[in-house]
Amino acid sequence: MNVILLGPPGSGKGTQAKRIEQAHDMPQLSTGDMLRAEIAADNALGRRVKGVMESGKLVPDDVMITLIRSRIRMPDCRNGFILDGFPRTLPQAEALDVMLRGEHRQIDHVIEFEVFEPNLIERLFGRFTCCNCGASYHERYNRPKVEGVCDVCGACEFICRADDRPEAIKTRFEAYRRQTAPLLPYYDRRGILQKVDAMADIDTVTRQIETILT
Ligand code: AP5
């Protein structure tokens, strides 16, 4: 089963992807996490994308397509994957279709995270993420079960993301509206788009997703 999670910044894609990953034993492919790992490694790609990401703009399609192409060919993706943050533009969606067709695979579900945008700003301001696995937490809505310890991987270091600043958040929302939202009719026409109410609490959103996937 191959799944795409589609929704604006802060809608809960990463939080739910981690839960699907654990429940269905399929990897979360978060392009944001992949890029942040490149930046942390301070390699050529990381240095190229750092400024773009911190500004809230999208990284060029060719970079993203190359990154995801090599990732979905890895053995752990053979039985399925969860795309979190990809595709984000029509050229990325079209390239993904070509990649999968070439391997006789397809996208089975595209899940849209429906939200009330003004409320997402509070989610992004309160967010902190695990330095090791990228799991997202929130000061009010989603604290680790054991204070200071990541529920997913047990690491003890957390950071606030460099793009969770007011100007960058504004740019990210604009990029979603202009470049990513057109993917909704693209997948709807194929009959594989389903929606969840992403303003509900985290467990309720998980249950809505499970209804779609099972
Ligand atoms: P990326 O890392 O993909 O960020 P994003 O899409 O902006 O999404 P976020 O990670 O901010 O939010 P989320 O929906 O995962 O929410 P989360 O679960 O964390 O991309 C970052 C950047 O990388 C882009 O701007 C771009 O520059 C670049 N990039 C990445 N992919 C690219 C691509 N394909 N093409 C080009 N550029 C690309 O939740 C948010 C907070 O809310 C957390 O604190 C969480 O605990 C809390 N929360 C979650 N759900 C709920 C709930 N139901 N109720 C209450 N609180 C909740």
Side-chain angles (χ1 to χ4, degrees), residues 8-15 31-33 35-36 52-53 56-59 64 84-86 88 92 123-124 126-128 136-138 141-142 161 163 172 198 200-202 205:
S11 56
K13 304 179 297 294
T15 302
T31 41
D33 286 350
L35 294 169
R36 282 183 285 276
V52 181
M53 281 184 78
K57 291 185 185 147
L58 294 186
V59 170
M64 300 313 304
D84 161 16
F86 187 96
R88 251 177 156 102
Q92 290 182 18
R123 283 197 193 172
L124 293 171
R127 169 165 62 182
F128 56 100
S136 275
Y137 297 94
H138 192 276
Y141 305 123
N142 184 24
R161 273 174 41 178
D163 57 351
R172 286 160 64 201
D201 64 70
I202 294 174
V205 179

Side-chain angles (χ1 to χ4, degrees), residues 16-202:
Q16 297 298 333
K18 288 260 182 292
R19 289 180 166 208
I20 305 169
E21 180 175 48
Q22 290 189 328
H24 295 267
D25 193 25
M26 43 201 264
Q28 169 200 19
L29 311 187
S30 160
T31 41
D33 286 350
M34 290 179 206
L35 294 169
R36 282 183 285 276
E38 302 289 339
I39 292 171
D42 195 26
N43 59 25
L45 175 57
R47 285 192 291 276
R48 180 174 169 199
V49 301
K50 186 171 189 284
V52 181
M53 281 184 78
E54 287 180 359
S55 73
K57 291 185 185 147
L58 294 186
V59 170
D61 287 335
D62 59 330
V63 174
M64 300 313 304
I65 291 164
T66 306
L67 203 64
I68 213 73
R69 183 181 289 120
S70 56
R71 183 64 187 88
I72 63 174
R73 286 185 178 152
M74 289 185 184
D76 63 335
C77 293
R78 217 172 274 145
N79 295 325
F81 51 76
I82 311 147
L83 283 168
D84 161 16
F86 187 96
R88 251 177 156 102
T89 63
L90 277 170
Q92 290 182 18
E94 286 161 359
L96 178 65
D97 285 340
V98 173
M99 267 178 240
L100 293 178
R101 212 175 298 133
E103 299 180 11
H104 308 291
R105 301 163 89 183
Q106 61 182 17
I107 295 297
D108 302 294
H109 300 284
V110 179
I111 301 178
E112 178 191 355
F113 283 54
E114 274 197 312
V115 292
F116 179 58
E117 210 178 273
N119 290 19
L120 296 185
I121 295 177
E122 191 203 355
R123 283 197 193 172
L124 293 171
F125 281 156
R127 169 165 62 182
F128 56 100
T129 58
C130 171
C131 289
N132 182 49
C133 74
S136 275
Y137 297 94
H138 192 276
E139 283 169 6
R140 277 180 55 196
Y141 305 123
N142 184 24
R143 299 193 67 84
K145 291 189 184 80
V146 176
E147 198 62 35
V149 181
C150 175
D151 295 346
V152 178
C153 72
C156 299
E157 278 187 62
F158 299 88
I159 44 161
C160 292
R161 273 174 41 178
D163 57 351
D164 282 347
R165 294 173 294 102
E167 323 80 76
I169 289 174
K170 191 163 163 260
T171 307
R172 286 160 64 201
F173 280 129
E174 275 168 18
Y176 181 79
R177 282 192 292 264
R178 277 192 303 110
Q179 294 170 276
T180 309
L183 296 182
L184 298 170
Y186 178 83
Y187 288 118
D188 197 22
R189 278 195 294 274
R190 283 160 48 173
I192 53 172
L193 181 73
Q194 282 160 297
K195 299 170 195 284
V196 293
D197 170 15
M199 297 318 294
D201 64 70
I202 294 174

